[in-house]
Amino acid sequence: MEKTSKIGRRFEGKVAIITASTQGIGFGIAQRLGLEGASVVISSRRQRNVDEAVKKLKELEIEVLGLVCHVSNAQQRKNLIEQTIQKYGKIDVVVSNAAAIPSGNAILQTQEFALDKIWEINVKSSILLLQDASPYLTKGSSIVFISSTSAFQPPAGFLAMYGVTKTTLLGLTKALAAELAPHTRVNCVAPGLVPTQFTEYITSNETIRKEFEKPILMKRFGTTEDMAAATAYLASDDASYITGETIVVGGGVPSRL
Ligand code: NAP
């Protein structure tokens, strides 16, 4: 996205933490919120990726703090919140974006360590990060979970457990919306397929790619900008009467009524 794009400045003076945000959808969200005026806190597991992402955002004149944070590392989560508060003093937006697909197996063939890992990264770490962040969430703050269209119908096979963890995020959105209202809104974005490193195994294979493309009404895969636009809307005051909801950003792919 060019700095000159016609976008608003809805996050002027706001502080946004986006997890797993040095590339892909998370980076797209950080860029969008930053271009709209937010101070953004980005993070991921590798320092090199953090440094590169910080550089790109600074080139767009975005105020950014970059830290290493593997979402399942308690110390790094605490550090993420502490450094954010030290530098910016508050938290207005948290986008919980990290996920893993550690198993290539069907659910009943998935080993316990792989089950633990996928729950830990996709669900538990989001909760624990929010526990650390909650004392600093401002009145009118906003949390957005990044789920998936696979949440509505977890497919059989290698994406099954991943889909189930994404279904859980829909429930977590409802539960936390009730728990945090009216101080903080909690919503969710369910992306359809977006070509990123995460989905390279799909998009790089012509046959699988065509299979995934077929049900998309808009006849194209999503972009990180599509996901960032929906996330920015939910995180902004434009959505101040929306909480506990999930927006599907899937180009019309079958999801729900
Ligand atoms: P991606 O392009 O592969 O980017 C993943 C980002 O997360 C990288 O910055 C990576 O950097 C970081 N990361 C990975 N594991 C992490 C961990 N354990 N802790 C902290 N950071 C971590 O992925 P993506 O496609 O943007 O996916 C982002 C989210 O969108 C996920 O929740 C995914 O389930 C969801 N989603 C994606 C699609 C899609 O089609 N792409 C569709 C539906 C939902 P490091 O390597 O430096 O850690």
Side-chain angles (χ1 to χ4, degrees):
M1 186 186 297
E2 295 301 315
K3 188 172 177 282
T4 49
S5 296
K6 286 193 182 120
I7 59 167
R9 297 285 292 179
R10 292 175 293 185
F11 297 95
E12 208 81 65
K14 307 249 180 180
V15 178
I17 294 177
I18 306 102
T19 66
S21 43
T22 57
Q23 61 185 26
I25 292 170
F27 181 79
I29 294 168
Q31 182 171 289
R32 173 72 191 238
L33 298 183
L35 287 176
E36 288 212 42
S39 300
V40 293
V41 182
I42 64 161
S43 58
S44 76
R45 294 167 299 180
R46 294 183 185 90
Q47 185 70 57
R48 188 167 54 87
N49 293 347
V50 172
D51 293 343
E52 279 171 15
V54 164
K55 186 165 173 277
K56 282 188 205 155
L57 293 174
K58 283 196 168 154
E59 279 165 10
L60 295 169
E61 291 168 35
I62 289 170
E63 170 58 37
V64 56
L65 171 63
L67 297 163
V68 167
C69 178
H70 187 316
V71 291
S72 56
N73 181 318
Q75 199 47 51
Q76 291 181 356
R77 283 195 307 265
K78 279 201 189 332
N79 184 52
L80 180 70
I81 301 301
E82 276 170 19
Q83 299 278 333
T84 302
I85 296 309
Q86 244 174 49
K87 184 153 187 197
Y88 300 119
K90 61 168 183 164
I91 302 168
D92 298 294
V93 174
V94 180
V95 180
S96 185
N97 172 62
I101 311 179
S103 158
N105 293 321
I107 291 174
L108 298 187
Q109 270 80 56
T110 304
Q111 292 186 7
E112 188 171 352
F113 81 90
L115 287 172
D116 287 344
K117 185 174 175 196
I118 197 164
W119 280 106
E120 179 159 335
I121 292 176
N122 295 13
V123 181
K124 195 173 98 178
S125 65
S126 300
I127 299 170
L128 294 173
L129 180 74
L130 291 172
Q131 286 181 357
D132 291 343
S134 65
Y136 307 106
L137 288 172
T138 54
K139 194 170 186 310
S141 54
S142 177
I143 293 164
V144 182
F145 290 107
I146 304 301
S147 176
S148 163
T149 48
S150 67
F152 298 99
Q153 182 63 61
F158 69 101
L159 280 174
M161 263 322 290
Y162 167 81
V164 173
T165 61
K166 293 298 190 179
T167 311
T168 304
L169 293 184
L170 309 186
L172 190 59
T173 299
K174 293 280 183 200
L176 284 180
E179 197 166 308
L180 297 179
H183 188 273
T184 299
R185 294 179 301 104
V186 185
N187 291 293
C188 182
V189 167
L193 202 128
V194 180
T196 62
Q197 205 168 65
F198 200 66
T199 51
E200 215 178 338
Y201 62 98
I202 295 171
T203 51
S204 61
N205 178 311
E206 189 65 12
T207 317
I208 308 182
R209 188 190 161 96
K210 286 222 165 85
E211 208 49 45
F212 274 82
E213 255 168 0
K214 240 186 252 164
I216 303 174
L217 300 183
M218 299 306 289
K219 299 293 166 218
R220 66 167 176 86
F221 288 140
T223 63
T224 58
E225 285 87 358
D226 292 326
M227 306 309 139
T231 307
Y233 167 66
L234 286 174
S236 77
D237 290 344
D238 284 345
S240 62
Y241 201 53
I242 299 178
T243 194
E245 296 297 334
T246 296
I247 294 184
V248 175
V249 192
V253 80
S255 54
R256 58 175 172 183
L257 281 180

